[in-house]
């Protein structure tokens, strides 16, 4: 299903382990997980609640660290970076889209999109230009001055996608981005993510429960009890 099986590997995990401590107990979540995602691939991850999907995305995006194993993204072993190096890496190399948007309520759409650029050293004029371009890409240039409360859920998620791509990262990670949206807004978000992949060559890592979302992906895997399996056959073949 991957349109370019020769594309270089962008994300590579080897033997990744992660557990959490809860009370006096250790809860193993990932127990030696390995995974490869190619540049330009649209990769969907499914699996039951609590199976570790968000944990896996956080590790790949450098928001958390594994207990063991290696994670390479774009040739950088992020597990070997210092905190400062990891922060700098994240600012440029990965965009994160959350289920509940996580926009700052007192900032306008444009200011929200501009935020990640404050970590990049671009001057104000360039920051504005990049933020405006990203808002245009998600079709919301005309809402630039609106605060999140004046936008629908679907529009807020489009602003969040603009924020995720404003630094032009090769990798966009989305954790159930359509989970809180009606069917038609969800469709628009999926169109956008698919477009980032096909038109801009972004690598998309999407966690979803929506079979319609997974059907658009090149690769579909399910995470269950710490193991990744091919989930394509679980989808209705009629609708692929
Ligand atoms: P999913 O996204 O697949 O629903 P998560 O990755 O959020 O699963 O969580 C996997 C398991 O790890 C769950 O049992 C969850 O309660 C636990 N967990 C996740 N994050 C933490 C944390 N920071 N501290 C303690 N337990 C956590
Ligand atoms: Mg989750």
């Amino acid at each position: 299903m991957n349109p370019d099986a020769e594309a270089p590997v962008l994300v590579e995990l080897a033997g990744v382990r992660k557990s959490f401590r809860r009370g006096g107990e250790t809860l193993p979540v990932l127990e030696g997980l390995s995974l490869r995602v190619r540049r330009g691939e649209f990769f969907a991850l499914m699996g039951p609640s609590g199976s570790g999907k968000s944990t896996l995305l956080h590790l790949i995006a450098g928001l958390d660290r594994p207990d063991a194993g290696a994670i390479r993204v774009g040739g950088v072993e992020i597990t070997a970076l210092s905190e400062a190096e990891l922060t700098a890496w994240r600012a440029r190399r990965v965009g994160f889209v959350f289920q509940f948007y996580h926009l700052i309520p007192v900032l306008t759409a444009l200011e929200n999109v501009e935020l990640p650029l404050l970590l990049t050293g671009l001057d104000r004029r360039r920051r504005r230009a990049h933020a405006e371009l990203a808002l245009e890409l998600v079709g919301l240039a005309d809402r630039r001055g609106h605060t999140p409360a004046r936008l629908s859920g679907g529009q807020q998620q489009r602003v969040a996608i603009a924020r995720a791509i404003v630094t032009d990262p090769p990798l966009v990670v989305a954790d159930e981005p359509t989970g809180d949206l009606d069917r038609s807004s969800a469709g628009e978000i999926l169109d956008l993510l698919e477009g980032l992949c096909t038109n801009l060559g972004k690598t998309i890592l999407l966690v979803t429960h929506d079979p319609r979302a997974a059907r658009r992906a090149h690769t579909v895997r399910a995470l269950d009890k710490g193991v990744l399996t091919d989930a394509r056959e679980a989808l209705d073949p009629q609708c692929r």
Side-chain angles (χ1 to χ4, degrees):
M1 292 301 282
N2 189 341
D4 189 357
E6 300 298 307
V9 172
L10 183 75
V11 178
E12 184 163 22
L13 281 73
V16 166
R17 294 178 171 275
K18 181 73 180 175
S19 57
F20 293 107
R21 290 203 64 80
R22 203 191 275 153
E25 295 189 8
T26 302
L27 172 79
V29 178
L30 305 174
E31 299 183 86
L33 189 132
S34 298
L35 165 70
R36 287 171 150 212
V37 182
R38 293 188 180 279
R39 198 173 280 276
E41 187 169 347
F42 188 165
F43 185 102
L45 181 64
M46 306 186 80
S49 178
S51 59
K53 305 181 297 299
S54 296
T55 301
L56 181 58
L57 286 197
H58 292 160
L59 294 175
I60 292 171
L63 293 170
D64 200 358
R65 292 180 184 271
D67 302 328
I71 303 177
R72 293 176 73 83
V73 182
V76 176
E77 186 144 352
I78 62 170
T79 31
L81 299 179
S82 69
E83 282 305 316
E85 287 168 337
L86 190 59
T87 302
W89 175 84
R90 251 191 340 249
R92 287 273 187 193
R93 309 308 292 166
V94 63
F96 211 106
V97 181
F98 303 91
Q99 180 174 358
F100 297 108
Y101 332 129
H102 289 197
L103 300 177
I104 310 282
V106 297
L107 298 183
T108 64
L110 188 67
E111 290 164 344
N112 267 285
V113 174
E114 194 183 338
L115 269 185
L117 296 175
L118 296 175
L119 295 168
T120 62
L122 280 186
D123 64 40
R124 186 185 157 81
R125 196 176 53 80
R126 287 208 180 79
R127 291 202 305 266
R128 274 290 141 110
H130 287 238
E132 274 167 15
L133 180 62
L135 262 187
E136 252 167 60
L137 271 168
V138 302
L140 285 179
D142 58 334
R143 305 295 156 95
R144 60 209 291 287
H146 288 214
T147 52
R150 296 178 59 203
L151 300 171
S152 70
Q155 289 172 333
Q156 289 184 59
Q157 195 59 300
R158 279 151 67 193
V159 172
I161 290 174
R163 179 183 57 188
I165 60 173
V166 74
T167 60
D168 199 22
L171 176 64
V172 175
V173 166
D175 196 353
E176 303 194 38
T178 63
D180 197 46
L181 298 177
D182 63 71
R183 193 177 167 86
S184 117
S185 305
E188 285 173 22
I189 295 301
L190 295 175
D191 288 343
L192 253 178
L193 292 174
E194 197 170 22
L196 294 182
C197 185
T198 8
N199 305 327
L200 300 179
K202 304 287 181 206
T203 303
I204 309 288
L205 251 166
L206 169 72
V207 165
T208 184
H209 289 293
D210 181 352
R212 287 185 310 149
R215 267 181 221 114
R216 301 184 185 224
H218 303 132
T219 310
V220 189
R221 297 271 186 277
L223 184 60
D224 198 3
K225 300 187 178 70
V227 180
L228 273 179
T229 55
D230 192 334
R232 179 71 67 180
E233 60 268 22
L235 304 175
D236 178 359
Q238 299 281 309
C239 309
R240 264 180 217 169

